[in-house]
Amino acid sequence: MIHEPRPPDRIVIVGAGIMGLFTAYHLARAGAGPVTVVDRGWLSNGASGRNGGGVRQQWETRALVRLARESVDSYRRFGRDFGYNIWFRQGGYLFLAESEAEQQHLAQVAATLRSEGLEAKLLQSEEVSQYAPGLETGGLRGGTYLKSDGTLYPFPALWALREAILRLGVDLRLGTEVTGIDVENGRVTGLATPAGRLPATVVVNAAGGWSSALAALAGLTVPNRATRHEILATEPLKPFLDPMVTRLRDGLYFSQTMRGEIVGGLSVAHPPGTRQGMPSSPAFLRAMARALVGILPSLRHLGVLRAWSGFYDDTPDGLPVIGEDPRLRGFVHASGFGGHGFMLAPAASRRVAQAVLREKSDLDPSQFSIARFLTPGAGQLVEGLQLG
Ligand SMILES: Cc1cc2nc3c(=O)[nH]c(=O)nc-3n(C[C@H](O)[C@H](O)[C@H](O)COP(=O)(O)OP(=O)(O)OC[C@H]3O[C@@H](n4cnc5c(N)ncnc54)[C@H](O)[C@@H]3O)c2cc1C
């Protein structure tokens, strides 16, 4: 019997954030096609244009460590690969522990990292200020430091990927909202937009904080939940701080950009969901100012220049959702990246592209498939270092 070759998939990626753009890039490079990326806003509309630019490999879950390490390699090559400077600076990440339990936690993380070939240092309290001069170390028990972690500027990464995918023939439609997903006989057949129907055999959900709303358009329930996080930038200071500093107790994080500003955030509770929009709150400004000045008293006279917020796309176990949904042929998840999607994007999006192409992946599906939330008792693992 002669089999007709399968026609190529018509792939539509929803979301032109870092995940959607990088996925389009991998797919276009692999010759998949045709590939369309749609976004109702502009390139940096979602969290990809609102984040702190932190790139770390310090995770509990081995698979995240590996994705992050691969992403660090990719960001190191980014200038050569894409011709854009993303100002990726490997000034390290300094995690701070205030109790014996937190120090033990970090000791385990450091051991995992070392077994993965990353030179993580477990620090005693008196060693911490070597890495962040002026830090108030009185209440500290210790910490960890990994030099190859760092920070980057998110915007040039988005601009570079936009240019790269356009060169590769990807159809990028900004200002186009997906309002419906057509399903026939258990598979995706197209998308509805105000500009008309888009035929599709594969839909990639890279909608960030709106991923559960997008999945709902296809009749799928997912446990992803949008949570609003706030962040600010101060007046510039002469460079004095190399690493991103992160405190375990409350998730306070801050770094100094190449322009000298201190950029950082702290979790303040907001009702879940995207309905409240993306404003800034006086409660955050107060909490963040108190936390920053408490840990770095020399910042007490510094003014805040800007504050903004964006949505994390959180999952119950702190791990992303990657791969085709077993309930709907052609619906591929690229979601659930919490506060860490930028740092994981180069490597995670490669696995999303593999799922679209139905190629074998090295990711353990029990850790990353949506199936872990559909079967009672499955997916026991929880990532305990979701901070910031
Ligand atoms: C304050 C803050 C600080 C952060 N700090 C860091 C950090 O230091 N390091 C790090 O790695 N990560 C950080 N993150 C997280 C990171 O920014 C995200 O995980 C990542 O950008 C997610 O990328 P994405 O492409 O999946 O989603 P997004 O960038 O959110 O893009 C989703 C896109 O989907 C579009 N969309 C949604 N629904 C529809 C629809 N129906 N039709 C059409 N388009 C649609 C939206 O317009 C949006 O542009 C931070 C996030 C925030 C909010």
Side-chain angles (χ1 to χ4, degrees):
M1 192 167 128
I2 299 168
H3 287 283
E4 289 289 316
R6 207 165 58 91
D9 275 312
R10 300 184 72 94
I11 303 159
V12 180
I13 299 169
V14 186
I18 191 71
M19 209 57 68
L21 295 175
F22 244 126
T23 301
Y25 174 74
H26 294 308
L27 285 169
R29 292 244 308 174
V35 179
T36 303
V37 180
V38 289
D39 198 299
R40 65 175 158 221
W42 59 96
L43 275 191
S44 46
N45 190 45
S48 299
R50 297 166 176 276
N51 64 80
V55 178
R56 67 157 145 119
Q57 305 151 99
Q58 300 190 59
W59 293 99
E60 275 180 17
T61 311
R62 228 169 250 284
L64 285 189
V65 176
R66 292 177 185 171
L67 289 177
R69 190 173 53 188
E70 191 180 311
S71 295
V72 163
D73 289 343
S74 167
Y75 283 135
R76 281 176 61 88
R77 287 195 317 270
F78 200 94
R80 260 174 290 147
D81 290 350
F82 294 94
Y84 266 78
N85 188 353
I86 55 170
W87 302 97
F88 182 43
R89 185 169 60 93
Q90 291 179 286
Y93 249 71
L94 177 66
F95 275 93
L96 303 177
E98 291 181 334
S99 66
E100 189 52 35
E102 287 175 357
Q103 181 75 350
Q104 289 302 326
H105 184 182
L106 288 181
Q108 278 168 15
V109 171
T112 304
L113 293 172
R114 281 197 296 269
S115 72
E116 290 287 327
L118 291 165
E119 289 177 23
K121 290 187 176 144
L122 183 66
L123 308 175
Q124 300 307 312
S125 54
E126 62 279 7
E127 295 171 296
V128 168
S129 55
Q130 289 171 27
Y131 298 93
L135 209 68
E136 182 57 57
T137 53
L140 291 184
R141 168 62 188 85
T144 48
Y145 176 76
L146 180 59
K147 171 84 185 86
S148 54
D149 289 345
T151 51
L152 53 70
Y153 277 110
F155 295 107
L158 301 172
W159 304 330
L161 283 163
R162 174 185 168 276
E163 277 187 17
I165 64 171
L166 292 178
R167 268 199 307 273
L168 289 164
V170 171
D171 175 15
L172 174 63
R173 302 190 187 191
L174 300 179
T176 304
E177 175 156 20
V178 173
T179 52
I181 297 178
D182 302 331
V183 173
E184 279 168 37
N185 301 323
R187 62 175 315 146
V188 164
T189 57
L191 296 164
T193 79
R197 186 176 183 273
L198 275 176
T201 54
V202 174
V203 169
V204 177
N205 183 355
W210 300 271
S211 67
S212 61
L214 192 84
L217 293 180
L220 299 174
T221 303
V222 295
N224 301 45
R225 200 171 71 144
T227 55
R228 184 158 70 87
H229 286 258
E230 300 187 52
I231 180 167
L232 59 74
T234 69
E235 295 170 313
L237 287 174
K238 207 166 147 183
F240 73 99
L241 182 66
D242 275 338
M244 172 79 86
V245 180
T246 303
R247 186 161 67 191
L248 254 61
R249 169 168 57 83
D250 54 3
L252 166 72
Y253 69 92
F254 58 94
S255 66
Q256 187 173 27
T257 69
M258 305 263 275
R259 285 194 295 251
E261 304 154 333
I262 302 294
V263 171
L266 175 74
S267 297
V268 170
H270 293 300
T274 55
R275 258 198 229 132
Q276 77 274 25
M278 295 184 260
S280 301
S281 71
F284 165 71
L285 281 179
R286 275 195 300 273
M288 184 67 190
R290 211 172 287 132
L292 258 186
V293 173
I295 198 164
L296 256 179
S298 58
L299 300 185
R300 69 186 170 280
H301 299 300
L302 203 61
V304 171
L305 285 187
R306 311 185 284 288
W308 65 98
S309 75
F311 294 116
Y312 285 14
D313 181 33
D314 287 325
T315 58
D317 57 12
L319 294 169
V321 184
I322 296 174
E324 189 176 50
D325 196 300
R327 298 165 294 181
L328 181 58
R329 188 86 169 146
F331 193 87
V332 175
H333 297 275
S335 68
F337 289 93
H340 309 100
F342 222 95
M343 65 181 77
L344 297 170
S349 59
R350 224 158 63 75
R351 278 40 178 211
V352 176
Q354 283 172 343
V356 171
L357 299 168
R358 304 205 166 88
E359 286 175 356
K360 205 169 147 31
S361 168
D362 56 348
L363 290 187
D364 174 354
S366 68
Q367 284 183 8
F368 293 101
S369 165
I370 190 70
R372 70 189 191 271
F373 301 116
L374 307 177
T375 322
Q380 305 289 346
L381 195 77
V382 173
E383 169 57 48
L385 219 53
Q386 327 162 40
L387 298 167

Tab-separated table of all heavy atoms in Angstrom, residues 70-119:
chain	number	residue	atom	x	y	z
A	70	GLU	N	21.605	25.282	29.194
A	70	GLU	CA	21.567	25.369	27.725
A	70	GLU	C	21.166	26.788	27.295
A	70	GLU	O	21.686	27.314	26.313
A	70	GLU	CB	20.546	24.341	27.226
A	70	GLU	CG	20.568	24.115	25.738
A	70	GLU	CD	19.517	23.079	25.332
A	70	GLU	OE1	19.448	21.999	25.955
A	70	GLU	OE2	18.756	23.365	24.396
A	71	SER	N	20.253	27.397	28.048
A	71	SER	CA	19.812	28.756	27.715
A	71	SER	C	20.939	29.766	27.942
A	71	SER	O	21.111	30.708	27.159
A	71	SER	CB	18.576	29.140	28.539
A	71	SER	OG	17.494	28.310	28.185
A	72	VAL	N	21.716	29.561	29.008
A	72	VAL	CA	22.866	30.445	29.244
A	72	VAL	C	23.828	30.358	28.064
A	72	VAL	O	24.303	31.380	27.546
A	72	VAL	CB	23.577	30.088	30.576
A	72	VAL	CG1	24.983	30.678	30.645
A	72	VAL	CG2	22.751	30.597	31.757
A	73	ASP	N	24.092	29.139	27.579
A	73	ASP	CA	24.977	28.993	26.414
A	73	ASP	C	24.404	29.751	25.222
A	73	ASP	O	25.122	30.407	24.477
A	73	ASP	CB	25.134	27.514	26.041
A	73	ASP	CG	25.976	26.765	27.061
A	73	ASP	OD1	26.686	27.440	27.841
A	73	ASP	OD2	25.900	25.517	27.111
A	74	SER	N	23.089	29.643	25.057
A	74	SER	CA	22.447	30.305	23.919
A	74	SER	C	22.551	31.827	24.053
A	74	SER	O	22.843	32.528	23.078
A	74	SER	CB	20.994	29.847	23.845
A	74	SER	OG	20.266	30.647	22.973
A	75	TYR	N	22.312	32.345	25.274
A	75	TYR	CA	22.410	33.796	25.448
A	75	TYR	C	23.864	34.279	25.297
A	75	TYR	O	24.099	35.400	24.865
A	75	TYR	CB	21.819	34.219	26.800
A	75	TYR	CG	20.292	34.238	26.794
A	75	TYR	CD1	19.551	33.686	27.840
A	75	TYR	CD2	19.590	34.831	25.746
A	75	TYR	CE1	18.165	33.716	27.839
A	75	TYR	CE2	18.196	34.856	25.737
A	75	TYR	CZ	17.487	34.305	26.777
A	75	TYR	OH	16.115	34.338	26.765
A	76	ARG	N	24.822	33.452	25.643
A	76	ARG	CA	26.229	33.839	25.425
A	76	ARG	C	26.520	33.991	23.923
A	76	ARG	O	27.310	34.814	23.513
A	76	ARG	CB	27.168	32.785	26.017
A	76	ARG	CG	27.335	32.897	27.533
A	76	ARG	CD	28.194	31.754	28.053
A	76	ARG	NE	29.533	31.771	27.473
A	76	ARG	CZ	30.548	32.448	27.979
A	76	ARG	NH1	30.393	33.150	29.079
A	76	ARG	NH2	31.728	32.418	27.404
A	77	ARG	N	25.875	33.139	23.116
A	77	ARG	CA	26.111	33.163	21.659
A	77	ARG	C	25.198	34.159	20.942
A	77	ARG	O	25.297	34.331	19.728
A	77	ARG	CB	25.781	31.784	21.059
A	77	ARG	CG	26.746	30.673	21.340
A	77	ARG	CD	26.471	29.511	20.389
A	77	ARG	NE	25.056	29.210	20.227
A	77	ARG	CZ	24.367	28.343	20.988
A	77	ARG	NH1	24.968	27.686	21.950
A	77	ARG	NH2	23.079	28.127	20.772
A	78	PHE	N	24.250	34.734	21.666
A	78	PHE	CA	23.154	35.471	21.038
A	78	PHE	C	23.652	36.560	20.069
A	78	PHE	O	23.143	36.696	18.962
A	78	PHE	CB	22.260	36.086	22.124
A	78	PHE	CG	20.891	36.452	21.632
A	78	PHE	CD1	19.829	35.567	21.759
A	78	PHE	CD2	20.654	37.690	21.029
A	78	PHE	CE1	18.557	35.911	21.306
A	78	PHE	CE2	19.384	38.034	20.584
A	78	PHE	CZ	18.340	37.142	20.720
A	79	GLY	N	24.646	37.333	20.506
A	79	GLY	CA	25.154	38.417	19.666
A	79	GLY	C	25.652	37.892	18.333
A	79	GLY	O	25.357	38.463	17.271
A	80	ARG	N	26.396	36.789	18.390
A	80	ARG	CA	26.925	36.203	17.152
A	80	ARG	C	25.806	35.621	16.296
A	80	ARG	O	25.767	35.768	15.097
A	80	ARG	CB	27.926	35.084	17.492
A	80	ARG	CG	29.367	35.533	17.392
A	80	ARG	CD	30.291	34.462	17.880
A	80	ARG	NE	30.170	34.298	19.322
A	80	ARG	CZ	30.313	33.153	19.985
A	80	ARG	NH1	30.582	32.049	19.342
A	80	ARG	NH2	30.196	33.104	21.291
A	81	ASP	N	24.851	34.950	16.961
A	81	ASP	CA	23.790	34.274	16.207
A	81	ASP	C	22.801	35.249	15.586
A	81	ASP	O	22.263	35.004	14.514
A	81	ASP	CB	23.014	33.306	17.117
A	81	ASP	CG	23.851	32.094	17.502
A	81	ASP	OD1	24.932	31.918	16.909
A	81	ASP	OD2	23.414	31.333	18.392
A	82	PHE	N	22.506	36.350	16.304
A	82	PHE	CA	21.410	37.220	15.860
A	82	PHE	C	21.851	38.642	15.511
A	82	PHE	O	21.053	39.432	15.028
A	82	PHE	CB	20.322	37.297	16.953
A	82	PHE	CG	19.618	35.988	17.180
A	82	PHE	CD1	20.038	35.114	18.179
A	82	PHE	CD2	18.540	35.624	16.388
A	82	PHE	CE1	19.384	33.910	18.393
A	82	PHE	CE2	17.887	34.422	16.589
A	82	PHE	CZ	18.307	33.565	17.589
A	83	GLY	N	23.115	38.990	15.818
A	83	GLY	CA	23.585	40.337	15.474
A	83	GLY	C	23.032	41.438	16.365
A	83	GLY	O	23.034	42.608	15.968
A	84	TYR	N	22.539	41.082	17.526
A	84	TYR	CA	22.036	42.085	18.483
A	84	TYR	C	22.744	41.903	19.812
A	84	TYR	O	22.926	40.761	20.265
A	84	TYR	CB	20.537	41.881	18.743
A	84	TYR	CG	19.629	42.710	17.883
A	84	TYR	CD1	19.378	42.348	16.570
A	84	TYR	CD2	19.017	43.850	18.390
A	84	TYR	CE1	18.521	43.103	15.769
A	84	TYR	CE2	18.167	44.613	17.605
A	84	TYR	CZ	17.920	44.232	16.298
A	84	TYR	OH	17.074	44.974	15.525
A	85	ASN	N	23.095	43.012	20.452
A	85	ASN	CA	23.719	42.926	21.769
A	85	ASN	C	22.623	42.934	22.845
A	85	ASN	O	21.893	43.920	22.960
A	85	ASN	CB	24.669	44.114	21.975
A	85	ASN	CG	25.490	43.978	23.235
A	85	ASN	OD1	25.269	43.063	24.028
A	85	ASN	ND2	26.445	44.871	23.425
A	86	ILE	N	22.504	41.851	23.576
A	86	ILE	CA	21.486	41.801	24.639
A	86	ILE	C	22.115	42.119	26.000
A	86	ILE	O	21.497	41.949	27.027
A	86	ILE	CB	20.758	40.439	24.674
A	86	ILE	CG1	21.751	39.273	24.817
A	86	ILE	CG2	19.875	40.275	23.459
A	86	ILE	CD1	21.085	37.933	25.094
A	87	TRP	N	23.347	42.546	26.015
A	87	TRP	CA	24.046	42.948	27.237
A	87	TRP	C	23.966	41.844	28.286
A	87	TRP	O	23.681	42.108	29.448
A	87	TRP	CB	23.461	44.267	27.801
A	87	TRP	CG	23.529	45.381	26.795
A	87	TRP	CD1	22.524	45.792	25.973
A	87	TRP	CD2	24.664	46.195	26.467
A	87	TRP	NE1	22.958	46.806	25.163
A	87	TRP	CE2	24.259	47.089	25.446
A	87	TRP	CE3	25.987	46.255	26.941
A	87	TRP	CZ2	25.127	48.021	24.890
A	87	TRP	CZ3	26.836	47.197	26.391
A	87	TRP	CH2	26.401	48.055	25.390
A	88	PHE	N	24.226	40.628	27.837
A	88	PHE	CA	24.219	39.515	28.793
A	88	PHE	C	25.513	39.574	29.597
A	88	PHE	O	26.607	39.492	29.050
A	88	PHE	CB	24.097	38.176	28.051
A	88	PHE	CG	24.045	36.985	28.975
A	88	PHE	CD1	23.266	37.008	30.122
A	88	PHE	CD2	24.775	35.836	28.688
A	88	PHE	CE1	23.213	35.920	30.972
A	88	PHE	CE2	24.725	34.739	29.533
A	88	PHE	CZ	23.937	34.793	30.669
A	89	ARG	N	25.358	39.748	30.896
A	89	ARG	CA	26.525	39.941	31.778
A	89	ARG	C	26.494	38.868	32.845
A	89	ARG	O	25.522	38.774	33.611
A	89	ARG	CB	26.417	41.325	32.413
A	89	ARG	CG	27.606	41.727	33.254
A	89	ARG	CD	27.497	43.196	33.588
A	89	ARG	NE	26.288	43.502	34.336
A	89	ARG	CZ	26.210	43.534	35.666
A	89	ARG	NH1	27.260	43.273	36.399
A	89	ARG	NH2	25.070	43.834	36.250
A	90	GLN	N	27.518	38.035	32.904
A	90	GLN	CA	27.527	36.933	33.873
A	90	GLN	C	28.171	37.394	35.181
A	90	GLN	O	29.290	37.037	35.509
A	90	GLN	CB	28.212	35.712	33.259
A	90	GLN	CG	27.345	35.117	32.145
A	90	GLN	CD	27.964	33.919	31.474
A	90	GLN	OE1	28.906	34.075	30.690
A	90	GLN	NE2	27.456	32.739	31.758
A	91	GLY	N	27.384	38.173	35.909
A	91	GLY	CA	27.851	38.683	37.202
A	91	GLY	C	27.423	37.802	38.358
A	91	GLY	O	27.656	38.134	39.522
A	92	GLY	N	26.790	36.684	38.052
A	92	GLY	CA	26.397	35.726	39.089
A	92	GLY	C	25.034	36.003	39.705
A	92	GLY	O	24.443	37.074	39.496
A	93	TYR	N	24.541	35.026	40.437
A	93	TYR	CA	23.339	35.144	41.262
A	93	TYR	C	23.751	34.801	42.670
A	93	TYR	O	24.427	33.782	42.896
A	93	TYR	CB	22.291	34.121	40.826
A	93	TYR	CG	21.039	34.663	40.169
A	93	TYR	CD1	21.087	35.205	38.890
A	93	TYR	CD2	19.796	34.578	40.788
A	93	TYR	CE1	19.931	35.651	38.264
A	93	TYR	CE2	18.641	35.017	40.163
A	93	TYR	CZ	18.716	35.554	38.894
A	93	TYR	OH	17.577	35.977	38.271
A	94	LEU	N	23.369	35.646	43.608
A	94	LEU	CA	23.680	35.426	45.014
A	94	LEU	C	22.370	35.154	45.746
A	94	LEU	O	21.515	36.042	45.823
A	94	LEU	CB	24.351	36.692	45.562
A	94	LEU	CG	24.705	36.723	47.036
A	94	LEU	CD1	25.783	35.686	47.355
A	94	LEU	CD2	25.216	38.128	47.414
A	95	PHE	N	22.191	33.945	46.228
A	95	PHE	CA	21.005	33.605	47.022
A	95	PHE	C	21.332	33.788	48.492
A	95	PHE	O	22.413	33.378	48.940
A	95	PHE	CB	20.599	32.149	46.773
A	95	PHE	CG	19.734	31.973	45.566
A	95	PHE	CD1	20.274	31.671	44.341
A	95	PHE	CD2	18.362	32.126	45.663
A	95	PHE	CE1	19.472	31.517	43.227
A	95	PHE	CE2	17.548	31.979	44.551
A	95	PHE	CZ	18.108	31.674	43.327
A	96	LEU	N	20.397	34.338	49.247
A	96	LEU	CA	20.647	34.607	50.664
A	96	LEU	C	19.745	33.763	51.559
A	96	LEU	O	18.518	33.735	51.367
A	96	LEU	CB	20.390	36.083	50.974
A	96	LEU	CG	21.205	37.088	50.159
A	96	LEU	CD1	20.786	38.518	50.521
A	96	LEU	CD2	22.702	36.897	50.390
A	97	ALA	N	20.370	33.109	52.538
A	97	ALA	CA	19.619	32.324	53.525
A	97	ALA	C	19.691	33.026	54.873
A	97	ALA	O	20.745	33.520	55.267
A	97	ALA	CB	20.231	30.927	53.639
A	98	GLU	N	18.542	33.047	55.574
A	98	GLU	CA	18.520	33.690	56.893
A	98	GLU	C	18.362	32.686	58.032
A	98	GLU	O	18.468	33.056	59.193
A	98	GLU	CB	17.381	34.712	56.951
A	98	GLU	CG	17.627	35.901	56.058
A	98	GLU	CD	16.519	36.933	56.128
A	98	GLU	OE1	15.375	36.556	56.457
A	98	GLU	OE2	16.785	38.104	55.857
A	99	SER	N	18.074	31.437	57.702
A	99	SER	CA	17.891	30.427	58.759
A	99	SER	C	18.682	29.180	58.386
A	99	SER	O	19.112	29.010	57.238
A	99	SER	CB	16.404	30.063	58.886
A	99	SER	OG	16.000	29.418	57.683
A	100	GLU	N	18.821	28.298	59.382
A	100	GLU	CA	19.544	27.051	59.136
A	100	GLU	C	18.809	26.213	58.078
A	100	GLU	O	19.433	25.604	57.201
A	100	GLU	CB	19.673	26.269	60.466
A	100	GLU	CG	20.586	25.069	60.424
A	100	GLU	CD	21.985	25.366	59.859
A	100	GLU	OE1	22.523	26.462	60.085
A	100	GLU	OE2	22.523	24.481	59.159
A	101	ALA	N	17.457	26.220	58.153
A	101	ALA	CA	16.678	25.429	57.183
A	101	ALA	C	16.908	25.947	55.761
A	101	ALA	O	17.083	25.158	54.817
A	101	ALA	CB	15.189	25.501	57.537
A	102	GLU	N	16.943	27.272	55.604
A	102	GLU	CA	17.188	27.832	54.263
A	102	GLU	C	18.602	27.506	53.790
A	102	GLU	O	18.826	27.196	52.618
A	102	GLU	CB	16.986	29.354	54.292
A	102	GLU	CG	15.525	29.767	54.392
A	102	GLU	CD	15.336	31.271	54.533
A	102	GLU	OE1	16.347	32.019	54.610
A	102	GLU	OE2	14.174	31.698	54.597
A	103	GLN	N	19.549	27.547	54.726
A	103	GLN	CA	20.932	27.241	54.347
A	103	GLN	C	21.046	25.770	53.908
A	103	GLN	O	21.737	25.454	52.939
A	103	GLN	CB	21.865	27.554	55.538
A	103	GLN	CG	23.337	27.301	55.281
A	103	GLN	CD	24.004	28.365	54.379
A	103	GLN	OE1	23.338	29.205	53.778
A	103	GLN	NE2	25.314	28.306	54.269
A	104	GLN	N	20.349	24.883	54.615
A	104	GLN	CA	20.348	23.456	54.239
A	104	GLN	C	19.751	23.273	52.851
A	104	GLN	O	20.240	22.497	52.034
A	104	GLN	CB	19.515	22.632	55.244
A	104	GLN	CG	20.143	22.467	56.610
A	104	GLN	CD	21.510	21.799	56.509
A	104	GLN	OE1	21.728	20.944	55.659
A	104	GLN	NE2	22.432	22.226	57.346
A	105	HIS	N	18.659	24.006	52.605
A	105	HIS	CA	18.005	23.965	51.302
A	105	HIS	C	19.007	24.362	50.211
A	105	HIS	O	19.174	23.667	49.195
A	105	HIS	CB	16.810	24.922	51.352
A	105	HIS	CG	15.959	24.940	50.119
A	105	HIS	ND1	14.886	25.762	49.984
A	105	HIS	CD2	16.029	24.252	48.954
A	105	HIS	CE1	14.326	25.582	48.797
A	105	HIS	NE2	15.001	24.665	48.155
A	106	LEU	N	19.703	25.477	50.443
A	106	LEU	CA	20.672	25.943	49.446
A	106	LEU	C	21.839	24.971	49.304
A	106	LEU	O	22.387	24.806	48.209
A	106	LEU	CB	21.182	27.341	49.815
A	106	LEU	CG	20.179	28.482	49.625
A	106	LEU	CD1	20.815	29.827	49.998
A	106	LEU	CD2	19.666	28.535	48.184
A	107	ALA	N	22.205	24.332	50.410
A	107	ALA	CA	23.308	23.354	50.343
A	107	ALA	C	22.929	22.207	49.397
A	107	ALA	O	23.749	21.735	48.594
A	107	ALA	CB	23.618	22.816	51.742
A	108	GLN	N	21.662	21.795	49.462
A	108	GLN	CA	21.210	20.724	48.558
A	108	GLN	C	21.221	21.186	47.102
A	108	GLN	O	21.622	20.448	46.203
A	108	GLN	CB	19.785	20.309	48.915
A	108	GLN	CG	19.730	19.336	50.076
A	108	GLN	CD	18.301	19.183	50.585
A	108	GLN	OE1	17.346	19.572	49.941
A	108	GLN	NE2	18.175	18.616	51.768
A	109	VAL	N	20.771	22.426	46.893
A	109	VAL	CA	20.767	22.963	45.526
A	109	VAL	C	22.204	23.024	45.000
A	109	VAL	O	22.485	22.618	43.862
A	109	VAL	CB	20.106	24.366	45.493
A	109	VAL	CG1	20.281	25.030	44.137
A	109	VAL	CG2	18.625	24.256	45.843
A	110	ALA	N	23.114	23.523	45.844
A	110	ALA	CA	24.517	23.642	45.416
A	110	ALA	C	25.095	22.267	45.069
A	110	ALA	O	25.843	22.119	44.095
A	110	ALA	CB	25.339	24.312	46.513
A	111	ALA	N	24.709	21.256	45.845
A	111	ALA	CA	25.220	19.900	45.572
A	111	ALA	C	24.687	19.402	44.224
A	111	ALA	O	25.438	18.812	43.416
A	111	ALA	CB	24.803	18.952	46.699
A	112	THR	N	23.401	19.662	43.955
A	112	THR	CA	22.826	19.269	42.658
A	112	THR	C	23.566	19.970	41.526
A	112	THR	O	23.935	19.356	40.516
A	112	THR	CB	21.321	19.638	42.598
A	112	THR	OG1	20.661	19.026	43.680
A	112	THR	CG2	20.685	19.225	41.292
A	113	LEU	N	23.792	21.270	41.706
A	113	LEU	CA	24.465	22.033	40.640
A	113	LEU	C	25.872	21.506	40.396
A	113	LEU	O	26.289	21.346	39.246
A	113	LEU	CB	24.521	23.519	41.016
A	113	LEU	CG	23.173	24.228	41.067
A	113	LEU	CD1	23.319	25.624	41.635
A	113	LEU	CD2	22.537	24.305	39.689
A	114	ARG	N	26.579	21.216	41.485
A	114	ARG	CA	27.951	20.726	41.304
A	114	ARG	C	27.949	19.374	40.598
A	114	ARG	O	28.794	19.097	39.753
A	114	ARG	CB	28.682	20.665	42.645
A	114	ARG	CG	29.160	22.071	43.075
A	114	ARG	CD	30.212	21.991	44.162
A	114	ARG	NE	29.647	21.413	45.372
A	114	ARG	CZ	29.084	22.123	46.348
A	114	ARG	NH1	29.030	23.440	46.265
A	114	ARG	NH2	28.584	21.530	47.408
A	115	SER	N	26.943	18.543	40.917
A	115	SER	CA	26.888	17.236	40.242
A	115	SER	C	26.532	17.408	38.760
A	115	SER	O	26.708	16.498	37.958
A	115	SER	CB	25.875	16.316	40.935
A	115	SER	OG	24.565	16.755	40.673
A	116	GLU	N	26.012	18.596	38.391
A	116	GLU	CA	25.723	18.893	36.986
A	116	GLU	C	26.892	19.646	36.327
A	116	GLU	O	26.771	20.121	35.211
A	116	GLU	CB	24.456	19.756	36.881
A	116	GLU	CG	23.178	19.016	37.231
A	116	GLU	CD	22.763	18.025	36.135
A	116	GLU	OE1	23.003	18.306	34.951
A	116	GLU	OE2	22.220	16.961	36.489
A	117	GLY	N	27.987	19.804	37.068
A	117	GLY	CA	29.166	20.446	36.492
A	117	GLY	C	29.173	21.960	36.621
A	117	GLY	O	29.983	22.632	35.985
A	118	LEU	N	28.267	22.520	37.423
A	118	LEU	CA	28.244	23.977	37.623
A	118	LEU	C	28.896	24.306	38.964
A	118	LEU	O	28.597	23.667	39.975
A	118	LEU	CB	26.802	24.486	37.609
A	118	LEU	CG	26.111	24.421	36.241
A	118	LEU	CD1	24.605	24.600	36.381
A	118	LEU	CD2	26.675	25.472	35.296
A	119	GLU	N	29.753	25.323	38.957
A	119	GLU	CA	30.576	25.569	40.152
A	119	GLU	C	29.874	26.457	41.168
A	119	GLU	O	30.284	27.598	41.415
A	119	GLU	CB	31.902	26.183	39.734
A	119	GLU	CG	32.780	25.164	39.040
A	119	GLU	CD	34.079	25.758	38.559
A	119	GLU	OE1	34.514	26.792	39.101
A	119	GLU	OE2	34.652	25.170	37.630
